[in-house]
Amino acid sequence: MGRLASTAATLKDLAPFVARRFLYSLGVIALVTVIVFSLMQFAGDPLARLRNNPNVSPADIQRIERRMGLDKPAYVQFAYWVRDSVRGEGEWSESFSYKTPVLPIVWDRFKNTLVLVGITVLVALAVAIPIGVYSAMRQYSVFDYLATAFSFFGFSMPVFWFGLILQLVLGFYLMDWLGLKEPLFYTASMYSPGMEGDVLNRLRHLVLPVMTLSLTMVAGWSRYQRSAMLDVVRSDYLRTARAKGLPEWAVIGRHALRNALIPVVTIVAIDFATLLGGAIVTETIFAWPGMGRLFYQGLLRRDYPLVMGTVLFSSTVLVAFNLLADIVYGFLDPRIRDE
């Protein structure tokens, strides 16, 4: 009963903090949409191609402008977009280029991005944490120096260049070297035509974009893990644990790693939320039909509703993850609630 009462009191104290953070998050999303809409006004005329087409009459152009609301001032267009977004349909207006509501398009692409980013994060965690832990336990060893060199390589390698190199080496050269009739790892799209249900085919399409995305993650997370482990292994409570006769694997696995993972999990959560907004470069290079590629296509076509919908969705996901992290911090540390 005492613990339940304490938890209830904590949640009660946390409520004003959560309310403030929630309102702050709404303000951030609103500000982002205003900024993006303002920038899109400088991107050019979305009907420029139609105006240059001699087969499209001026009357048709005017009719399209009226239907899309482009004949209205910018602030009226923004008001229409906000109105459509908060309406019961919740379809975020209609895409100029797809001629369908924006929300279903964004949702379909988000699921593709979620698959790519989710697998990437799992792979990166499986590689980065062991590297970071072992580097810390073998500080200044050959392995530690090699891991440090790999991290610098990962930080300094441009994503687009690394992705193109992987396509060239593992996508094309490897096929020639092994004398294969088709690439071992595919370089574009989520699956080959007509192979939607083939799991192995999908995995072969995932390998190269996952390797490209995970390079920077592994480089960064392994350094965070190494630094956090070095701080923990010098703690007094670990000396006490060893003095009590605990085996080394128990000292590291049960006590050191558990505490050293806390700062890494924070970084992972932020990176994960950021990538869910769209890995624009990687998805474009590998023709992955995700949020990043959708945003890029929307910019090229000057499709305002599509760009706005993509940005709103991405911002909402990112802000939601940060709000969740703030709530967890506020729950764990009472000092944060008073900020």
Side-chain angles (χ1 to χ4, degrees):
M1 290 295 294
R3 178 171 294 182
L4 287 176
S6 175
T7 303
T10 301
L11 293 176
K12 185 178 179 181
D13 293 340
L14 197 60
F17 171 77
V18 174
R20 288 198 305 271
R21 290 295 183 183
F22 181 73
L23 292 176
Y24 173 78
S25 301
L26 291 180
V28 169
I29 294 174
L31 181 62
V32 168
T33 54
V34 170
I35 291 174
V36 173
F37 185 85
S38 302
L39 292 176
M40 287 300 296
Q41 297 302 309
F42 297 100
D45 183 7
L47 302 182
R49 292 182 181 177
L50 293 178
R51 295 183 199 282
N52 295 327
N53 188 341
N55 297 321
V56 181
S57 67
D60 290 336
I61 297 292
Q62 290 180 357
R63 181 176 53 81
I64 296 173
E65 283 182 334
R66 285 196 298 273
R67 187 172 66 84
M68 292 182 171
L70 296 175
D71 58 333
K72 302 289 191 303
Y75 66 90
V76 176
Q77 294 180 37
F78 182 72
Y80 283 172
W81 181 84
V82 173
R83 180 199 64 188
D84 292 342
S85 299
V86 299
R87 267 181 168 178
E89 303 91 58
E91 294 178 338
W92 296 355
S93 189
E94 181 180 298
S95 164
F96 293 167
S97 52
Y98 286 86
K99 311 299 183 189
T100 58
V102 168
L103 183 57
I105 304 172
V106 173
W107 177 246
D108 286 341
R109 296 299 188 94
F110 174 74
K111 289 187 286 187
N112 296 339
T113 296
L114 183 62
V115 171
L116 175 62
V117 174
I119 294 176
T120 300
V121 168
L122 292 178
V123 171
L125 280 174
V127 176
I129 291 179
I131 289 178
V133 171
Y134 196 78
S135 293
M137 302 311 297
R138 299 288 185 274
Q139 191 179 17
Y140 304 132
S141 65
V142 174
F143 181 88
D144 188 28
Y145 284 124
L146 289 176
T148 302
F150 170 77
S151 296
F152 287 139
F153 171 79
F155 283 133
S156 58
M157 184 66 61
V159 173
F160 73 94
W161 189 85
F162 185 65
L164 294 175
I165 290 297
L166 287 181
Q167 283 184 329
L168 191 64
V169 176
L170 298 183
F172 298 107
Y173 288 168
L174 186 62
M175 180 177 64
D176 293 336
W177 295 337
L178 299 179
L180 302 175
K181 294 181 179 178
E182 61 180 15
L184 189 59
F185 306 117
Y186 293 108
T187 58
S189 190
M190 289 181 64
Y191 47 80
S192 302
M195 305 284 285
E196 293 87 344
D198 191 325
V199 176
L200 180 60
N201 182 270
R202 291 207 172 205
L203 290 176
R204 290 167 65 184
H205 280 83
L206 267 170
V207 171
L208 298 185
V210 166
M211 289 179 66
T212 303
L213 269 182
S214 60
L215 174 68
T216 307
M217 292 183 183
V218 172
W221 296 353
S222 63
R223 300 306 293 174
Y224 278 111
Q225 186 63 70
R226 177 183 182 274
S227 176
M229 279 297 292
L230 286 175
D231 290 338
V232 171
V233 295
R234 296 163 182 162
S235 303
D236 292 338
Y237 73 90
L238 285 190
R239 296 192 188 97
T240 304
R242 289 191 177 97
K244 289 181 176 178
L246 284 178
E248 188 64 16
W249 65 266
V251 173
I252 300 301
R254 291 181 184 174
H255 301 283
L257 181 59
R258 187 173 180 177
N259 290 326
L261 278 175
I262 294 175
V264 180
V265 168
T266 304
I267 300 298
V268 171
I270 294 174
D271 287 349
F272 181 67
T274 303
L275 282 177
L276 282 180
I280 295 177
V281 175
T282 303
E283 290 182 354
T284 302
I285 291 174
F286 292 97
W288 190 269
M291 290 279 289
R293 191 157 177 253
L294 182 67
F295 176 77
Y296 180 67
Q297 290 173 339
L299 282 179
L300 290 182
R301 298 170 181 172
R302 295 166 183 169
D303 190 337
Y304 299 159
L306 188 60
V307 173
M308 292 293 294
T310 308
V311 171
L312 177 61
F313 194 92
S314 305
S315 303
T316 303
V317 171
L318 182 59
V319 169
F321 269 81
N322 279 282
L323 177 62
L324 182 62
D326 286 343
I327 293 174
V328 173
Y329 290 154
F331 184 80
L332 297 176
D333 189 347
R335 295 173 297 179
I336 296 179
R337 303 175 208 163
D338 300 328
E339 290 180 356

